[in-house]
Amino acid sequence: MPIVADEYTHVIGVDTHAKTHTYVILDTRTGGVVDTASFPTSPTGLARALAWIDRRTAAGRLAAVEGTSSYGASLTEALQQADIPLVEARPPRRADRGARGKSDPVDAEAAARAVLRTDTALLSWPRTGNIRSALRVLLAARRSMDGQRTASRNALTALLRTINLGIDVRHPLKDTQIASIAAWRHRPSDDIDEVIARAEAVRLARDVIDLTGKLNANHHALERYVSALAPTVLDIAGVGPVSAAVFLTAYSHVGRVRSEAAFASLGGAGDSRARLPSMPHSRKSRASRRVPRTSSRAIRSPRTTTAVGTAGRAATTLTRTAAISTRSDGTSSTRS
């Protein structure tokens, strides 16, 4: 199989950050550095970077970008609009830097050189699109709202256990109890501490109810967009809209999930001891508890892990579905 150096004339390595991106252009014929520059991440800065790339490269160029779905998201969109193919570049390892140390130009060049010698069939083409971006936003909003609701519920429980307001809190609060607290009215006969406590309890209860309604709306939106992106994922037993959205956003590029074992490694459930036969027992035990660097915290969440366990062979089915997920315009592509 051909490598990148056989198929492309130039490789542009990009080290992305919040304020600036650093670009390094390599000539694939010689492996030499053509030029290096840094530009702001603003729209004007991205336009200057694209013009700089056009002046120094010809047809057959390839960009290797770190963080295509985070700091490099805007750059990824700009490169796609400019018809410059790009792939996801992994951060360079410490051993690859050697004695050169760490800097933005060094990291950008390392990203380009790592892609330069990669088989073209193994390139990590980023999976982008409006629906996938919407799912990421909805999941982030859900995590925030879920945390706020849990905090409000815990604060309400602690308050009711501290001051007796006539609610049995020996067990976790039920939804009916929270609804009853939210409907409380001011009572002139209460002492000042009871007045303040009841007002705070009402506020916390209403926060819980309000956030519950927002989470339900978020759940419906996730279901709608997951069905649009990958219609058959929700047919897998044990996989709901939230778990499916986590799977689809974590499945960043073709080839990341090659098998059930790769999916287990991504979720931090792989058996590290199987890959470390020569290690002493004490080191092996520590390694077995170590989470793989490429794992996804979202996939390792308790709810998602439960769904995966219930689904059985869901990983294989999901991988096949995600690899041919439908674009918003109805067409299918392994790079969508």
PDB file of all heavy atoms in Angstrom, residues 139 142-143 146 222 233 236-250 263 266-269 296-312 314-315 318:
ATOM      1  N   LEU A 139     -24.597  16.948  24.199  1.00  0.00           N
ATOM      2  CA  LEU A 139     -24.013  16.116  25.256  1.00  0.00           C
ATOM      3  C   LEU A 139     -23.327  16.960  26.321  1.00  0.00           C
ATOM      4  O   LEU A 139     -23.434  16.674  27.523  1.00  0.00           O
ATOM      5  CB  LEU A 139     -23.024  15.120  24.651  1.00  0.00           C
ATOM      6  CG  LEU A 139     -23.626  13.958  23.868  1.00  0.00           C
ATOM      7  CD1 LEU A 139     -22.525  13.141  23.200  1.00  0.00           C
ATOM      8  CD2 LEU A 139     -24.454  13.059  24.785  1.00  0.00           C
ATOM      9  N   ARG A 142     -25.977  18.493  28.367  1.00  0.00           N
ATOM     10  CA  ARG A 142     -26.609  17.497  29.238  1.00  0.00           C
ATOM     11  C   ARG A 142     -25.753  17.207  30.465  1.00  0.00           C
ATOM     12  O   ARG A 142     -26.280  17.095  31.577  1.00  0.00           O
ATOM     13  CB  ARG A 142     -26.876  16.211  28.452  1.00  0.00           C
ATOM     14  CG  ARG A 142     -27.660  15.183  29.255  1.00  0.00           C
ATOM     15  CD  ARG A 142     -28.054  13.970  28.435  1.00  0.00           C
ATOM     16  NE  ARG A 142     -28.957  13.151  29.197  1.00  0.00           N
ATOM     17  CZ  ARG A 142     -30.265  13.329  29.272  1.00  0.00           C
ATOM     18  NH1 ARG A 142     -30.818  14.331  28.594  1.00  0.00           N
ATOM     19  NH2 ARG A 142     -31.026  12.539  30.005  1.00  0.00           N
ATOM     20  N   ARG A 143     -24.446  17.077  30.274  1.00  0.00           N
ATOM     21  CA  ARG A 143     -23.573  16.836  31.414  1.00  0.00           C
ATOM     22  C   ARG A 143     -23.645  17.986  32.411  1.00  0.00           C
ATOM     23  O   ARG A 143     -23.656  17.774  33.631  1.00  0.00           O
ATOM     24  CB  ARG A 143     -22.132  16.634  30.942  1.00  0.00           C
ATOM     25  CG  ARG A 143     -21.884  15.289  30.275  1.00  0.00           C
ATOM     26  CD  ARG A 143     -20.405  15.053  30.066  1.00  0.00           C
ATOM     27  NE  ARG A 143     -19.817  15.979  29.112  1.00  0.00           N
ATOM     28  CZ  ARG A 143     -19.744  15.764  27.810  1.00  0.00           C
ATOM     29  NH1 ARG A 143     -20.241  14.647  27.290  1.00  0.00           N
ATOM     30  NH2 ARG A 143     -19.178  16.642  27.008  1.00  0.00           N
ATOM     31  N   ASP A 146     -27.168  17.933  34.113  1.00  0.00           N
ATOM     32  CA  ASP A 146     -27.283  16.788  35.011  1.00  0.00           C
ATOM     33  C   ASP A 146     -26.504  17.039  36.302  1.00  0.00           C
ATOM     34  O   ASP A 146     -26.962  16.707  37.406  1.00  0.00           O
ATOM     35  CB  ASP A 146     -26.766  15.531  34.311  1.00  0.00           C
ATOM     36  CG  ASP A 146     -27.187  14.262  35.027  1.00  0.00           C
ATOM     37  OD1 ASP A 146     -28.226  14.280  35.718  1.00  0.00           O
ATOM     38  OD2 ASP A 146     -26.486  13.245  34.897  1.00  0.00           O
ATOM     39  N   LEU A 222     -31.566  14.710  21.290  1.00  0.00           N
ATOM     40  CA  LEU A 222     -30.557  13.691  20.998  1.00  0.00           C
ATOM     41  C   LEU A 222     -31.156  12.548  20.184  1.00  0.00           C
ATOM     42  O   LEU A 222     -30.534  12.070  19.226  1.00  0.00           O
ATOM     43  CB  LEU A 222     -29.968  13.155  22.304  1.00  0.00           C
ATOM     44  CG  LEU A 222     -28.997  14.066  23.060  1.00  0.00           C
ATOM     45  CD1 LEU A 222     -28.655  13.465  24.413  1.00  0.00           C
ATOM     46  CD2 LEU A 222     -27.723  14.293  22.246  1.00  0.00           C
ATOM     47  N   VAL A 233     -28.933   2.772  14.799  1.00  0.00           N
ATOM     48  CA  VAL A 233     -28.224   2.606  16.072  1.00  0.00           C
ATOM     49  C   VAL A 233     -29.201   2.379  17.223  1.00  0.00           C
ATOM     50  O   VAL A 233     -28.960   1.552  18.109  1.00  0.00           O
ATOM     51  CB  VAL A 233     -27.342   3.839  16.349  1.00  0.00           C
ATOM     52  CG1 VAL A 233     -26.825   3.820  17.780  1.00  0.00           C
ATOM     53  CG2 VAL A 233     -26.167   3.864  15.390  1.00  0.00           C
ATOM     54  N   ILE A 236     -30.399  -1.136  18.408  1.00  0.00           N
ATOM     55  CA  ILE A 236     -29.553  -2.044  19.182  1.00  0.00           C
ATOM     56  C   ILE A 236     -30.100  -2.147  20.595  1.00  0.00           C
ATOM     57  O   ILE A 236     -30.370  -1.137  21.242  1.00  0.00           O
ATOM     58  CB  ILE A 236     -28.095  -1.538  19.216  1.00  0.00           C
ATOM     59  CG1 ILE A 236     -27.540  -1.396  17.790  1.00  0.00           C
ATOM     60  CG2 ILE A 236     -27.209  -2.485  20.027  1.00  0.00           C
ATOM     61  CD1 ILE A 236     -26.180  -0.747  17.738  1.00  0.00           C
ATOM     62  N   ALA A 237     -30.253  -3.353  21.090  1.00  0.00           N
ATOM     63  CA  ALA A 237     -30.804  -3.561  22.423  1.00  0.00           C
ATOM     64  C   ALA A 237     -29.893  -2.933  23.469  1.00  0.00           C
ATOM     65  O   ALA A 237     -28.686  -3.147  23.476  1.00  0.00           O
ATOM     66  CB  ALA A 237     -30.954  -5.054  22.702  1.00  0.00           C
ATOM     67  N   GLY A 238     -30.487  -2.131  24.371  1.00  0.00           N
ATOM     68  CA  GLY A 238     -29.733  -1.532  25.456  1.00  0.00           C
ATOM     69  C   GLY A 238     -29.084  -0.207  25.136  1.00  0.00           C
ATOM     70  O   GLY A 238     -28.448   0.383  26.011  1.00  0.00           O
ATOM     71  N   VAL A 239     -29.218   0.298  23.912  1.00  0.00           N
ATOM     72  CA  VAL A 239     -28.598   1.570  23.513  1.00  0.00           C
ATOM     73  C   VAL A 239     -29.696   2.608  23.320  1.00  0.00           C
ATOM     74  O   VAL A 239     -30.578   2.449  22.470  1.00  0.00           O
ATOM     75  CB  VAL A 239     -27.768   1.420  22.226  1.00  0.00           C
ATOM     76  CG1 VAL A 239     -27.211   2.766  21.790  1.00  0.00           C
ATOM     77  CG2 VAL A 239     -26.633   0.431  22.451  1.00  0.00           C
ATOM     78  N   GLY A 240     -29.650   3.668  24.122  1.00  0.00           N
ATOM     79  CA  GLY A 240     -30.596   4.761  24.008  1.00  0.00           C
ATOM     80  C   GLY A 240     -29.978   5.964  23.335  1.00  0.00           C
ATOM     81  O   GLY A 240     -28.811   5.941  22.916  1.00  0.00           O
ATOM     82  N   PRO A 241     -30.722   7.068  23.242  1.00  0.00           N
ATOM     83  CA  PRO A 241     -30.209   8.258  22.549  1.00  0.00           C
ATOM     84  C   PRO A 241     -28.930   8.824  23.149  1.00  0.00           C
ATOM     85  O   PRO A 241     -28.032   9.237  22.414  1.00  0.00           O
ATOM     86  CB  PRO A 241     -31.372   9.256  22.673  1.00  0.00           C
ATOM     87  CG  PRO A 241     -32.588   8.414  22.851  1.00  0.00           C
ATOM     88  CD  PRO A 241     -32.131   7.228  23.634  1.00  0.00           C
ATOM     89  N   VAL A 242     -28.816   8.837  24.478  1.00  0.00           N
ATOM     90  CA  VAL A 242     -27.630   9.409  25.108  1.00  0.00           C
ATOM     91  C   VAL A 242     -26.401   8.548  24.824  1.00  0.00           C
ATOM     92  O   VAL A 242     -25.354   9.040  24.394  1.00  0.00           O
ATOM     93  CB  VAL A 242     -27.837   9.565  26.626  1.00  0.00           C
ATOM     94  CG1 VAL A 242     -26.574  10.117  27.279  1.00  0.00           C
ATOM     95  CG2 VAL A 242     -29.022  10.480  26.914  1.00  0.00           C
ATOM     96  N   SER A 243     -26.523   7.235  25.047  1.00  0.00           N
ATOM     97  CA  SER A 243     -25.383   6.351  24.797  1.00  0.00           C
ATOM     98  C   SER A 243     -25.001   6.355  23.324  1.00  0.00           C
ATOM     99  O   SER A 243     -23.824   6.377  22.978  1.00  0.00           O
ATOM    100  CB  SER A 243     -25.729   4.919  25.237  1.00  0.00           C
ATOM    101  OG  SER A 243     -25.985   4.877  26.619  1.00  0.00           O
ATOM    102  N   ALA A 244     -26.007   6.355  22.442  1.00  0.00           N
ATOM    103  CA  ALA A 244     -25.725   6.363  21.007  1.00  0.00           C
ATOM    104  C   ALA A 244     -24.999   7.639  20.602  1.00  0.00           C
ATOM    105  O   ALA A 244     -24.070   7.613  19.793  1.00  0.00           O
ATOM    106  CB  ALA A 244     -27.026   6.216  20.224  1.00  0.00           C
ATOM    107  N   ALA A 245     -25.404   8.782  21.168  1.00  0.00           N
ATOM    108  CA  ALA A 245     -24.735  10.044  20.849  1.00  0.00           C
ATOM    109  C   ALA A 245     -23.288  10.029  21.324  1.00  0.00           C
ATOM    110  O   ALA A 245     -22.396  10.517  20.629  1.00  0.00           O
ATOM    111  CB  ALA A 245     -25.492  11.210  21.482  1.00  0.00           C
ATOM    112  N   VAL A 246     -23.045   9.451  22.501  1.00  0.00           N
ATOM    113  CA  VAL A 246     -21.675   9.341  22.998  1.00  0.00           C
ATOM    114  C   VAL A 246     -20.840   8.475  22.067  1.00  0.00           C
ATOM    115  O   VAL A 246     -19.702   8.804  21.715  1.00  0.00           O
ATOM    116  CB  VAL A 246     -21.668   8.754  24.425  1.00  0.00           C
ATOM    117  CG1 VAL A 246     -20.248   8.438  24.878  1.00  0.00           C
ATOM    118  CG2 VAL A 246     -22.313   9.726  25.403  1.00  0.00           C
ATOM    119  N   PHE A 247     -21.402   7.353  21.637  1.00  0.00           N
ATOM    120  CA  PHE A 247     -20.687   6.458  20.722  1.00  0.00           C
ATOM    121  C   PHE A 247     -20.332   7.177  19.424  1.00  0.00           C
ATOM    122  O   PHE A 247     -19.201   7.124  18.945  1.00  0.00           O
ATOM    123  CB  PHE A 247     -21.537   5.230  20.396  1.00  0.00           C
ATOM    124  CG  PHE A 247     -21.818   4.355  21.574  1.00  0.00           C
ATOM    125  CD1 PHE A 247     -22.964   3.584  21.621  1.00  0.00           C
ATOM    126  CD2 PHE A 247     -20.943   4.284  22.644  1.00  0.00           C
ATOM    127  CE1 PHE A 247     -23.229   2.770  22.709  1.00  0.00           C
ATOM    128  CE2 PHE A 247     -21.199   3.478  23.729  1.00  0.00           C
ATOM    129  CZ  PHE A 247     -22.344   2.711  23.771  1.00  0.00           C
ATOM    130  N   LEU A 248     -21.315   7.858  18.848  1.00  0.00           N
ATOM    131  CA  LEU A 248     -21.125   8.469  17.533  1.00  0.00           C
ATOM    132  C   LEU A 248     -20.134   9.628  17.571  1.00  0.00           C
ATOM    133  O   LEU A 248     -19.400   9.844  16.611  1.00  0.00           O
ATOM    134  CB  LEU A 248     -22.475   8.950  16.985  1.00  0.00           C
ATOM    135  CG  LEU A 248     -23.457   7.833  16.605  1.00  0.00           C
ATOM    136  CD1 LEU A 248     -24.822   8.421  16.288  1.00  0.00           C
ATOM    137  CD2 LEU A 248     -22.934   7.036  15.422  1.00  0.00           C
ATOM    138  N   THR A 249     -20.108  10.380  18.661  1.00  0.00           N
ATOM    139  CA  THR A 249     -19.151  11.482  18.741  1.00  0.00           C
ATOM    140  C   THR A 249     -17.761  10.977  19.113  1.00  0.00           C
ATOM    141  O   THR A 249     -16.758  11.562  18.698  1.00  0.00           O
ATOM    142  CB  THR A 249     -19.611  12.520  19.778  1.00  0.00           C
ATOM    143  OG1 THR A 249     -19.885  11.871  21.035  1.00  0.00           O
ATOM    144  CG2 THR A 249     -20.868  13.230  19.308  1.00  0.00           C
ATOM    145  N   ALA A 250     -17.682   9.905  19.893  1.00  0.00           N
ATOM    146  CA  ALA A 250     -16.370   9.337  20.217  1.00  0.00           C
ATOM    147  C   ALA A 250     -15.767   8.644  19.008  1.00  0.00           C
ATOM    148  O   ALA A 250     -14.546   8.572  18.870  1.00  0.00           O
ATOM    149  CB  ALA A 250     -16.479   8.354  21.378  1.00  0.00           C
ATOM    150  N   PHE A 263     -12.878  -1.438  20.841  1.00  0.00           N
ATOM    151  CA  PHE A 263     -13.917  -0.671  21.525  1.00  0.00           C
ATOM    152  C   PHE A 263     -13.729  -0.761  23.040  1.00  0.00           C
ATOM    153  O   PHE A 263     -13.889   0.220  23.759  1.00  0.00           O
ATOM    154  CB  PHE A 263     -15.288  -1.198  21.134  1.00  0.00           C
ATOM    155  CG  PHE A 263     -16.428  -0.398  21.697  1.00  0.00           C
ATOM    156  CD1 PHE A 263     -16.879   0.744  21.061  1.00  0.00           C
ATOM    157  CD2 PHE A 263     -17.048  -0.780  22.881  1.00  0.00           C
ATOM    158  CE1 PHE A 263     -17.913   1.487  21.588  1.00  0.00           C
ATOM    159  CE2 PHE A 263     -18.076  -0.057  23.411  1.00  0.00           C
ATOM    160  CZ  PHE A 263     -18.524   1.087  22.764  1.00  0.00           C
ATOM    161  N   LEU A 266     -10.959   1.529  24.018  1.00  0.00           N
ATOM    162  CA  LEU A 266     -11.416   2.914  23.970  1.00  0.00           C
ATOM    163  C   LEU A 266     -12.178   3.271  25.234  1.00  0.00           C
ATOM    164  O   LEU A 266     -12.064   4.372  25.757  1.00  0.00           O
ATOM    165  CB  LEU A 266     -12.305   3.130  22.739  1.00  0.00           C
ATOM    166  CG  LEU A 266     -12.957   4.504  22.585  1.00  0.00           C
ATOM    167  CD1 LEU A 266     -11.893   5.559  22.363  1.00  0.00           C
ATOM    168  CD2 LEU A 266     -13.949   4.494  21.442  1.00  0.00           C
ATOM    169  N   GLY A 267     -12.963   2.326  25.745  1.00  0.00           N
ATOM    170  CA  GLY A 267     -13.743   2.580  26.947  1.00  0.00           C
ATOM    171  C   GLY A 267     -13.014   2.299  28.237  1.00  0.00           C
ATOM    172  O   GLY A 267     -13.596   2.387  29.315  1.00  0.00           O
ATOM    173  N   GLY A 268     -11.727   1.942  28.165  1.00  0.00           N
ATOM    174  CA  GLY A 268     -10.963   1.686  29.370  1.00  0.00           C
ATOM    175  C   GLY A 268     -11.251   0.351  30.000  1.00  0.00           C
ATOM    176  O   GLY A 268     -10.946   0.123  31.172  1.00  0.00           O
ATOM    177  N   ALA A 269     -11.853  -0.587  29.238  1.00  0.00           N
ATOM    178  CA  ALA A 269     -12.216  -1.891  29.788  1.00  0.00           C
ATOM    179  C   ALA A 269     -11.308  -3.003  29.301  1.00  0.00           C
ATOM    180  O   ALA A 269     -11.542  -4.167  29.601  1.00  0.00           O
ATOM    181  CB  ALA A 269     -13.667  -2.226  29.412  1.00  0.00           C
ATOM    182  N   SER A 296     -12.036   7.195  26.123  1.00  0.00           N
ATOM    183  CA  SER A 296     -12.959   8.317  26.196  1.00  0.00           C
ATOM    184  C   SER A 296     -13.647   8.301  27.550  1.00  0.00           C
ATOM    185  O   SER A 296     -14.234   7.306  27.946  1.00  0.00           O
ATOM    186  CB  SER A 296     -14.006   8.218  25.078  1.00  0.00           C
ATOM    187  OG  SER A 296     -15.053   9.129  25.299  1.00  0.00           O
ATOM    188  N   ARG A 297     -13.541   9.412  28.283  1.00  0.00           N
ATOM    189  CA  ARG A 297     -14.184   9.462  29.594  1.00  0.00           C
ATOM    190  C   ARG A 297     -15.691   9.322  29.470  1.00  0.00           C
ATOM    191  O   ARG A 297     -16.348   8.762  30.338  1.00  0.00           O
ATOM    192  CB  ARG A 297     -13.852  10.784  30.277  1.00  0.00           C
ATOM    193  CG  ARG A 297     -12.390  10.905  30.679  1.00  0.00           C
ATOM    194  CD  ARG A 297     -12.150  12.202  31.426  1.00  0.00           C
ATOM    195  NE  ARG A 297     -10.753  12.310  31.826  1.00  0.00           N
ATOM    196  CZ  ARG A 297     -10.256  13.350  32.479  1.00  0.00           C
ATOM    197  NH1 ARG A 297     -11.049  14.351  32.796  1.00  0.00           N
ATOM    198  NH2 ARG A 297      -8.987  13.387  32.814  1.00  0.00           N
ATOM    199  N   ALA A 298     -16.239   9.864  28.381  1.00  0.00           N
ATOM    200  CA  ALA A 298     -17.687   9.764  28.202  1.00  0.00           C
ATOM    201  C   ALA A 298     -18.124   8.320  28.047  1.00  0.00           C
ATOM    202  O   ALA A 298     -19.132   7.892  28.609  1.00  0.00           O
ATOM    203  CB  ALA A 298     -18.119  10.580  26.980  1.00  0.00           C
ATOM    204  N   ILE A 299     -17.362   7.537  27.273  1.00  0.00           N
ATOM    205  CA  ILE A 299     -17.729   6.147  27.073  1.00  0.00           C
ATOM    206  C   ILE A 299     -17.585   5.364  28.370  1.00  0.00           C
ATOM    207  O   ILE A 299     -18.317   4.418  28.620  1.00  0.00           O
ATOM    208  CB  ILE A 299     -16.859   5.528  25.958  1.00  0.00           C
ATOM    209  CG1 ILE A 299     -17.361   6.023  24.606  1.00  0.00           C
ATOM    210  CG2 ILE A 299     -16.899   4.014  25.979  1.00  0.00           C
ATOM    211  CD1 ILE A 299     -16.671   5.402  23.444  1.00  0.00           C
ATOM    212  N   ARG A 300     -16.637   5.788  29.249  1.00  0.00           N
ATOM    213  CA  ARG A 300     -16.418   5.064  30.489  1.00  0.00           C
ATOM    214  C   ARG A 300     -17.402   5.471  31.583  1.00  0.00           C
ATOM    215  O   ARG A 300     -17.292   5.003  32.708  1.00  0.00           O
ATOM    216  CB  ARG A 300     -14.986   5.288  30.981  1.00  0.00           C
ATOM    217  CG  ARG A 300     -13.958   4.557  30.166  1.00  0.00           C
ATOM    218  CD  ARG A 300     -12.572   4.691  30.767  1.00  0.00           C
ATOM    219  NE  ARG A 300     -11.982   5.974  30.429  1.00  0.00           N
ATOM    220  CZ  ARG A 300     -11.672   6.900  31.322  1.00  0.00           C
ATOM    221  NH1 ARG A 300     -11.924   6.711  32.592  1.00  0.00           N
ATOM    222  NH2 ARG A 300     -11.109   8.026  30.952  1.00  0.00           N
ATOM    223  N   SER A 301     -18.362   6.361  31.281  1.00  0.00           N
ATOM    224  CA  SER A 301     -19.325   6.741  32.299  1.00  0.00           C
ATOM    225  C   SER A 301     -20.211   5.553  32.656  1.00  0.00           C
ATOM    226  O   SER A 301     -20.442   4.664  31.836  1.00  0.00           O
ATOM    227  CB  SER A 301     -20.204   7.889  31.785  1.00  0.00           C
ATOM    228  OG  SER A 301     -20.982   7.461  30.689  1.00  0.00           O
ATOM    229  N   PRO A 302     -20.731   5.485  33.899  1.00  0.00           N
ATOM    230  CA  PRO A 302     -21.501   4.315  34.328  1.00  0.00           C
ATOM    231  C   PRO A 302     -22.694   4.013  33.446  1.00  0.00           C
ATOM    232  O   PRO A 302     -22.975   2.865  33.138  1.00  0.00           O
ATOM    233  CB  PRO A 302     -21.935   4.699  35.750  1.00  0.00           C
ATOM    234  CG  PRO A 302     -20.917   5.689  36.210  1.00  0.00           C
ATOM    235  CD  PRO A 302     -20.521   6.450  34.973  1.00  0.00           C
ATOM    236  N   ARG A 303     -23.428   5.042  33.020  1.00  0.00           N
ATOM    237  CA  ARG A 303     -24.621   4.794  32.216  1.00  0.00           C
ATOM    238  C   ARG A 303     -24.263   4.162  30.877  1.00  0.00           C
ATOM    239  O   ARG A 303     -24.915   3.241  30.407  1.00  0.00           O
ATOM    240  CB  ARG A 303     -25.379   6.104  31.997  1.00  0.00           C
ATOM    241  CG  ARG A 303     -25.955   6.685  33.285  1.00  0.00           C
ATOM    242  CD  ARG A 303     -26.697   7.974  33.012  1.00  0.00           C
ATOM    243  NE  ARG A 303     -27.237   8.540  34.241  1.00  0.00           N
ATOM    244  CZ  ARG A 303     -27.881   9.692  34.293  1.00  0.00           C
ATOM    245  NH1 ARG A 303     -28.060  10.406  33.193  1.00  0.00           N
ATOM    246  NH2 ARG A 303     -28.351  10.147  35.437  1.00  0.00           N
ATOM    247  N   THR A 304     -23.219   4.708  30.242  1.00  0.00           N
ATOM    248  CA  THR A 304     -22.827   4.180  28.946  1.00  0.00           C
ATOM    249  C   THR A 304     -22.276   2.770  29.081  1.00  0.00           C
ATOM    250  O   THR A 304     -22.549   1.900  28.267  1.00  0.00           O
ATOM    251  CB  THR A 304     -21.770   5.095  28.303  1.00  0.00           C
ATOM    252  OG1 THR A 304     -22.260   6.426  28.319  1.00  0.00           O
ATOM    253  CG2 THR A 304     -21.501   4.676  26.881  1.00  0.00           C
ATOM    254  N   THR A 305     -21.482   2.516  30.143  1.00  0.00           N
ATOM    255  CA  THR A 305     -20.930   1.188  30.346  1.00  0.00           C
ATOM    256  C   THR A 305     -22.029   0.172  30.539  1.00  0.00           C
ATOM    257  O   THR A 305     -21.984  -0.946  30.017  1.00  0.00           O
ATOM    258  CB  THR A 305     -19.997   1.192  31.573  1.00  0.00           C
ATOM    259  OG1 THR A 305     -18.983   2.170  31.373  1.00  0.00           O
ATOM    260  CG2 THR A 305     -19.363  -0.163  31.777  1.00  0.00           C
ATOM    261  N   THR A 306     -23.077   0.539  31.280  1.00  0.00           N
ATOM    262  CA  THR A 306     -24.212  -0.361  31.473  1.00  0.00           C
ATOM    263  C   THR A 306     -24.886  -0.673  30.152  1.00  0.00           C
ATOM    264  O   THR A 306     -25.250  -1.815  29.868  1.00  0.00           O
ATOM    265  CB  THR A 306     -25.232   0.279  32.435  1.00  0.00           C
ATOM    266  OG1 THR A 306     -24.587   0.535  33.676  1.00  0.00           O
ATOM    267  CG2 THR A 306     -26.411  -0.649  32.664  1.00  0.00           C
ATOM    268  N   ALA A 307     -25.040   0.360  29.312  1.00  0.00           N
ATOM    269  CA  ALA A 307     -25.684   0.145  28.017  1.00  0.00           C
ATOM    270  C   ALA A 307     -24.871  -0.791  27.142  1.00  0.00           C
ATOM    271  O   ALA A 307     -25.417  -1.665  26.463  1.00  0.00           O
ATOM    272  CB  ALA A 307     -25.875   1.489  27.303  1.00  0.00           C
ATOM    273  N   VAL A 308     -23.543  -0.624  27.178  1.00  0.00           N
ATOM    274  CA  VAL A 308     -22.687  -1.484  26.366  1.00  0.00           C
ATOM    275  C   VAL A 308     -22.785  -2.928  26.843  1.00  0.00           C
ATOM    276  O   VAL A 308     -22.882  -3.865  26.059  1.00  0.00           O
ATOM    277  CB  VAL A 308     -21.227  -0.996  26.417  1.00  0.00           C
ATOM    278  CG1 VAL A 308     -20.310  -1.972  25.711  1.00  0.00           C
ATOM    279  CG2 VAL A 308     -21.121   0.362  25.774  1.00  0.00           C
ATOM    280  N   GLY A 309     -22.783  -3.120  28.165  1.00  0.00           N
ATOM    281  CA  GLY A 309     -22.872  -4.467  28.696  1.00  0.00           C
ATOM    282  C   GLY A 309     -24.194  -5.120  28.351  1.00  0.00           C
ATOM    283  O   GLY A 309     -24.257  -6.323  28.067  1.00  0.00           O
ATOM    284  N   THR A 310     -25.269  -4.352  28.364  1.00  0.00           N
ATOM    285  CA  THR A 310     -26.577  -4.897  28.028  1.00  0.00           C
ATOM    286  C   THR A 310     -26.676  -5.204  26.547  1.00  0.00           C
ATOM    287  O   THR A 310     -27.324  -6.166  26.125  1.00  0.00           O
ATOM    288  CB  THR A 310     -27.681  -3.887  28.415  1.00  0.00           C
ATOM    289  OG1 THR A 310     -27.534  -3.572  29.799  1.00  0.00           O
ATOM    290  CG2 THR A 310     -29.064  -4.475  28.173  1.00  0.00           C
ATOM    291  N   ALA A 311     -26.010  -4.396  25.743  1.00  0.00           N
ATOM    292  CA  ALA A 311     -26.142  -4.562  24.303  1.00  0.00           C
ATOM    293  C   ALA A 311     -25.437  -5.806  23.774  1.00  0.00           C
ATOM    294  O   ALA A 311     -25.741  -6.269  22.681  1.00  0.00           O
ATOM    295  CB  ALA A 311     -25.582  -3.330  23.592  1.00  0.00           C
ATOM    296  N   GLY A 312     -24.455  -6.316  24.518  1.00  0.00           N
ATOM    297  CA  GLY A 312     -23.767  -7.510  24.042  1.00  0.00           C
ATOM    298  C   GLY A 312     -22.859  -7.202  22.886  1.00  0.00           C
ATOM    299  O   GLY A 312     -21.779  -6.684  23.067  1.00  0.00           O
ATOM    300  N   ALA A 314     -23.082  -4.931  20.724  1.00  0.00           N
ATOM    301  CA  ALA A 314     -23.411  -3.597  20.203  1.00  0.00           C
ATOM    302  C   ALA A 314     -22.208  -2.928  19.562  1.00  0.00           C
ATOM    303  O   ALA A 314     -22.354  -2.170  18.614  1.00  0.00           O
ATOM    304  CB  ALA A 314     -23.947  -2.705  21.326  1.00  0.00           C
ATOM    305  N   ALA A 315     -21.008  -3.191  20.071  1.00  0.00           N
ATOM    306  CA  ALA A 315     -19.829  -2.502  19.549  1.00  0.00           C
ATOM    307  C   ALA A 315     -19.620  -2.796  18.070  1.00  0.00           C
ATOM    308  O   ALA A 315     -19.381  -1.896  17.270  1.00  0.00           O
ATOM    309  CB  ALA A 315     -18.594  -2.935  20.337  1.00  0.00           C
ATOM    310  N   LEU A 318     -22.473  -1.222  16.041  1.00  0.00           N
ATOM    311  CA  LEU A 318     -22.346   0.231  16.021  1.00  0.00           C
ATOM    312  C   LEU A 318     -21.213   0.674  15.123  1.00  0.00           C
ATOM    313  O   LEU A 318     -21.317   1.650  14.392  1.00  0.00           O
ATOM    314  CB  LEU A 318     -22.125   0.747  17.437  1.00  0.00           C
ATOM    315  CG  LEU A 318     -21.953   2.260  17.564  1.00  0.00           C
ATOM    316  CD1 LEU A 318     -23.244   2.946  17.166  1.00  0.00           C
ATOM    317  CD2 LEU A 318     -21.564   2.637  18.972  1.00  0.00           C
TER     318      LEU A 318
END
